[in-house]
Amino acid sequence: MIERVEMKNYKQCVVKSEGPDSASMPPVPISPIKVGHIDDVQELRKTKPKTIPQRFVRDMTERPTLTATLLPPPHTHMPVIDFSKLSKGNNEEVLGEIFSLATACEEWGFFQVINHEIDHNLLESIENLSREFFMLPLEEKQKYPMAPGTVQGYGQAFVFSEDQKLDWCNMFALGLEPQYLRNPNLWPKRPERFSETVEVYSGEIRKLCHSLLTYIALGLDLKGDVFEKMFGVSVQAIRMNYYPPCSRPDLVLGLSPHSDGSALTVLQQAKGGPVGLQILKDNTWVPIQPIPNALVINIGDTIEVLTNGKYRSVEHRAVAHEEKDRLSIVTFFAPSYEVELGPMPEFVDENHPCKYRRYNHGEYSKHYVTNKLQGKKTLDFAKIQTKIAN
């Protein structure tokens, strides 16, 4: 017999928990973290080592199967959503595309958006400036260091021990909204126009996220503004990922498997790069072929909790390439840290018991950024635990 430990019925499911006083503050580590020496992968690449440093070499069970990294299995293609049909279509087109969006969210947790109304010149500008930043001398980039246990600045995120395996990737991340998340010392002076382009780009992505959440809500038979009202002043952050070529891509991962703690994540993959993104679909790592000028959107842990698992966040990872580098730009869009979250009553009944407890989003964000990327393990924070009764 399975017995629920924390909550046995819907009334218990919706009781609010008390959040910490620091809920409105950006997550920070509680104590100093020792991460040991971390090689900069771009600097490593300059020497084109045939022997990869051991901290980057994955255990056998984690290594990518490179023969399967280029093309998805037959009949396995990520759904494509035409945003123009949602925003400008007639009633039939709007309803049809909302249905397609709902199906994509439920069956894949990922989809690509075309005709998203963001200027292609802006996409090109953010790509070019991001690449310029990563091509700066190391000493210039190190003026904006990512402190261990944090997720802003230049370096590697989610590293918490001296023996932890490292990703074949350099990152540069910035908090954007609300304003108090920003650390002005981490906004680079070079390249020119970098900061102003990030501002414009992020504003456009923010509008897209608001719109998509409206259509996602409608696809769930909810009021279109339900997420906007619930989220308050939404948290937004941007991260650029640069994956240099690797002489032994079969030994490393560009980015460890994980789901995102956000509500929505928006991924822009730079033109001309190799296939790098893989998602876990039916227990198989499926490579995703980017569509030019499309944006890849995925459901985060927040939406999984709110829909009581109807829409699930999906594990994904990045792989390296032997000859080509890859650049991606990722935006994370999430509720205010002050918001209390839990399954919405529309998704809890006798046939769909409550799977997640209520919690403060600031608590969850702190838990997420102070743990290494490890599949969907971080979401255990919110799950209602079960145990076998004696």
Side-chain angles (χ1 to χ4, degrees):
M1 175 182 175
I2 302 292
E3 176 183 295
R4 295 198 168 271
V5 175
E6 294 187 49
M7 309 175 190
K8 296 181 181 177
N9 56 40
Y10 165 64
K11 287 184 179 179
Q12 290 170 299
C13 181
V14 297
V15 171
K16 288 189 176 182
S17 64
E18 293 299 322
D21 293 337
S22 60
S24 62
M25 297 301 292
V28 294
I30 298 172
S31 57
I33 296 170
K34 295 182 179 180
V35 297
H37 175 70
I38 297 178
D39 285 308
D40 185 283
V41 288
Q42 284 176 259
E43 298 302 304
L44 277 178
R45 172 61 186 172
K46 289 177 180 177
T47 64
K48 297 184 179 178
K50 293 298 180 185
T51 302
I52 303 299
Q54 276 301 307
R55 281 199 78 180
F56 293 93
V57 176
R58 295 287 172 152
D59 296 336
M60 290 294 295
T61 55
E62 296 181 311
R63 295 178 189 177
T65 305
L66 295 182
T67 54
T69 58
L70 298 179
L71 293 173
H75 313 298
T76 310
H77 296 283
M78 182 186 289
V80 176
I81 301 301
D82 187 339
F83 186 79
S84 65
K85 289 183 180 179
L86 292 169
S87 62
K88 299 175 182 176
N90 57 39
N91 285 345
E92 185 177 347
E93 288 175 323
V94 172
L95 291 174
E97 212 62 14
I98 287 176
F99 178 79
S100 297
L101 176 60
T103 303
C105 290
E106 187 163 6
E107 296 183 359
W108 280 78
F110 267 84
F111 51 93
Q112 297 200 60
V113 173
I114 60 173
N115 300 324
H116 43 64
E117 301 175 0
I118 298 177
D119 192 314
H120 292 174
N121 291 329
L122 180 57
L123 301 185
E124 187 174 346
S125 293
I126 196 76
E127 282 181 19
N128 291 340
L129 289 167
S130 299
R131 186 174 293 277
E132 283 184 46
F133 174 82
F134 284 112
M135 294 305 125
L136 291 171
L138 180 61
E139 57 269 23
E140 180 70 22
K141 292 180 287 188
Q142 288 180 334
K143 293 178 181 178
Y144 314 102
M146 185 181 292
T150 68
V151 288
Q152 290 200 58
Y154 174 78
Q156 281 218 17
F158 305 103
V159 183
F160 299 98
S161 69
E162 297 181 73
D163 57 356
Q164 184 178 330
K165 294 297 183 183
L166 300 175
D167 293 331
W168 193 264
C169 177
N170 283 337
M171 299 177 174
F172 182 64
L174 295 169
L176 298 169
E177 299 292 343
Q179 290 285 320
Y180 69 77
L181 284 182
R182 300 185 178 211
N183 183 341
N185 295 327
L186 296 179
W187 286 66
K189 306 292 188 294
R190 298 171 56 193
E192 289 185 19
R193 295 183 49 250
F194 180 91
S195 294
E196 67 181 79
T197 304
V198 167
E199 293 278 16
V200 176
Y201 176 81
S202 298
E204 292 297 303
I205 296 292
R206 192 173 183 87
K207 286 193 289 186
L208 178 64
C209 288
H210 280 298
S211 295
L212 286 173
L213 283 170
T214 296
Y215 296 121
I216 287 171
L218 293 172
L220 289 164
D221 292 326
L222 303 171
K223 291 183 178 179
D225 62 355
V226 64
F227 294 126
E228 184 172 358
K229 287 182 175 179
M230 184 189 306
F231 286 8
V233 180
S234 299
V235 170
Q236 188 174 340
I238 190 170
R239 191 179 75 217
M240 294 88 169
N241 303 315
Y242 180 74
Y243 307 93
C246 179
S247 58
R248 292 296 306 274
D250 56 315
L251 299 180
V252 306
L253 283 175
L255 190 60
S256 300
H258 64 286
S259 63
D260 293 331
S262 55
L264 291 181
T265 301
V266 181
L267 169 68
Q268 177 181 340
Q269 302 183 84
K271 292 184 181 69
V275 174
L277 172 65
Q278 297 183 344
I279 72 172
L280 192 61
K281 172 73 171 164
D282 300 327
N283 295 314
T284 299
W285 286 107
V286 176
I288 301 304
Q289 295 278 353
I291 298 172
N293 296 314
L295 296 170
V296 176
I297 315 292
N298 64 277
I299 297 297
D301 295 345
T302 296
I303 296 295
E304 175 166 338
V305 170
L306 291 174
T307 62
N308 199 35
K310 180 178 176 66
Y311 291 175
R312 300 182 69 248
S313 59
V314 173
E315 278 187 60
H316 50 287
R317 69 182 185 182
V319 297
H321 192 276
E322 188 171 1
E323 299 173 352
K324 297 180 180 178
D325 65 355
R326 177 171 174 263
L327 172 71
S328 66
I329 300 151
V330 191
T331 299
F332 303 99
F333 188 85
S336 164
Y337 290 142
E338 299 172 334
V339 169
E340 298 284 331
L341 295 175
M344 299 170 71
E346 292 87 347
F347 304 103
V348 179
D349 56 35
E350 289 184 1
N351 296 321
H352 303 90
C354 196
K355 297 179 181 178
Y356 308 94
R357 66 182 179 88
R358 287 194 68 87
Y359 58 86
N360 168 271
H361 183 62
E363 279 184 325
Y364 183 60
S365 296
K366 185 172 184 177
H367 175 75
Y368 189 94
V369 303
T370 54
N371 283 273
K372 69 178 183 178
L373 299 180
Q374 196 173 356
K376 293 193 64 169
K377 188 172 176 58
T378 313
L379 194 53
D380 289 348
F381 172 93
K383 286 182 178 177
I384 294 175
Q385 302 299 318
T386 59
K387 70 178 181 181
I388 306 293
N390 293 328

